[in-house]
Amino acid sequence: AQSVAQPEDQVNVAEGNPLTVKCTYSVSGNPYLFWYVQYPNRGLQFLLKYITGDNLVKGSYGFEAEFNKSQTSFHLKKPSALVSDSALYFCAVNGGATNKLIFGTGTLLAVQP
Amino acid sequence: DVKVTQSSRYLVKRTGEKVFLECVQDMDHENMFWYRQDPGLGLRLIYFSYDVKMKEKGDIPEGYSVSREKKERFSLILESASTNQTSMYLCASSLFPGGTQYFGPGTRLLVL
């Protein structure tokens, strides 16, 4: 069965510091991996995706994610955090026998000024 | 840009009422989805649709039904609302089933 795990409910980082939001996955086939961001009382916004090719994927707002097949991970990163990056981040995976996206439980990113 | 709109941002209903949540997308996407979002549980798929008049159950379909009479519109129906259906409801659409999903702003439903 497909699954995705976001091991941290919350990540705290100071503005200007690098940030990482972790995601690991389990699928039976080649994964399609996604990151979404949700601001308060809003729907989810697409940030970036990995389908195939270069393991480092660049997305919106300066975010990037690294696909690591051996560790089955797809961590979201940004070199320098902004207060405006504070939001809820969701990792999602598609792969295996089903075409549905499976979402993680979300990680709340809090960037302190 | 893909635009997904939902009929209401906030809704308050009474237990036992029939509730309709409407979702419209403007990108001619074949696939549409309804999720509910609850703290600590992430997004859970209620129903999805691959084509007009076609629907499939997601992970938590109990107490819900859907309707897709036109390609751009996907409705979620709570046949008899209950307090445990108080939640944030999110609609999404995608070009193909496992691809990038584009979300509406959400409807926060409170059932009293």
Side-chain angles (χ1 to χ4, degrees), chain A residues 84-104:
Chain A
S84 57
D85 292 330
S86 298
L88 188 57
Y89 290 81
F90 288 96
C91 181
V93 65
N94 163 262
T98 176
N99 284 324
K100 296 183 292 185
L101 282 187
I102 305 298
F103 285 83

Side-chain angles (χ1 to χ4, degrees), chain A residues 62-109:
Chain A
F63 284 93
E64 59 190 25
E66 186 167 11
F67 171 63
N68 187 317
K69 189 172 183 178
S70 63
Q71 296 186 5
T72 62
S73 66
F74 189 57
H75 301 332
L76 182 70
K77 300 183 180 186
K78 188 174 181 182
S80 179
L82 299 172
V83 172
S84 57
D85 292 330
S86 298
L88 188 57
Y89 290 81
F90 288 96
C91 181
V93 65
N94 163 262
T98 176
N99 284 324
K100 296 183 292 185
L101 282 187
I102 305 298
F103 285 83
T105 52
T107 298
L108 184 65
L109 174 67

Side-chain angles (χ1 to χ4, degrees), chain B residues 7-18:
Chain B
S7 50
S8 305
R9 294 298 306 276
Y10 301 94
L11 214 49
V12 180
K13 295 292 180 181
R14 296 229 174 254
T15 302
E17 279 191 77
K18 192 168 186 176

Side-chain angles (χ1 to χ4, degrees), chain B residues 12 15 25-26 39 45 59 61-62 65 80 87 97 101 103 109-110:
Chain B
V12 180
T15 302
Q25 51 94 4
D26 68 354
L45 182 63
D59 300 317
E62 297 78 19
S65 63
S80 177
S87 187
Q101 293 186 14
F103 284 80
L109 173 66
L110 173 63

Side-chain angles (χ1 to χ4, degrees), chain A residues 32 34 36 38 40-46 49 88 90 94 98-106, chain B residues 9-10 35 37 40-43 45 48 50 59 88 90 96-101 103-105 108:
Chain A
Y32 290 6
F34 303 82
Y36 287 84
Q38 185 180 35
N41 296 314
R42 304 280 183 177
L44 275 66
Q45 294 179 30
F46 169 71
K49 67 181 176 185
L88 188 57
F90 288 96
N94 163 262
T98 176
N99 284 324
K100 296 183 292 185
L101 282 187
I102 305 298
F103 285 83
T105 52
Chain B
R9 294 298 306 276
Y10 301 94
Y35 296 88
Q37 180 183 6
L41 298 177
L43 273 71
L45 182 63
F48 59 103
Y50 290 155
D59 300 317
M88 170 75 123
L90 294 166
F96 60 93
T100 304
Q101 293 186 14
F103 284 80
R108 191 168 293 279

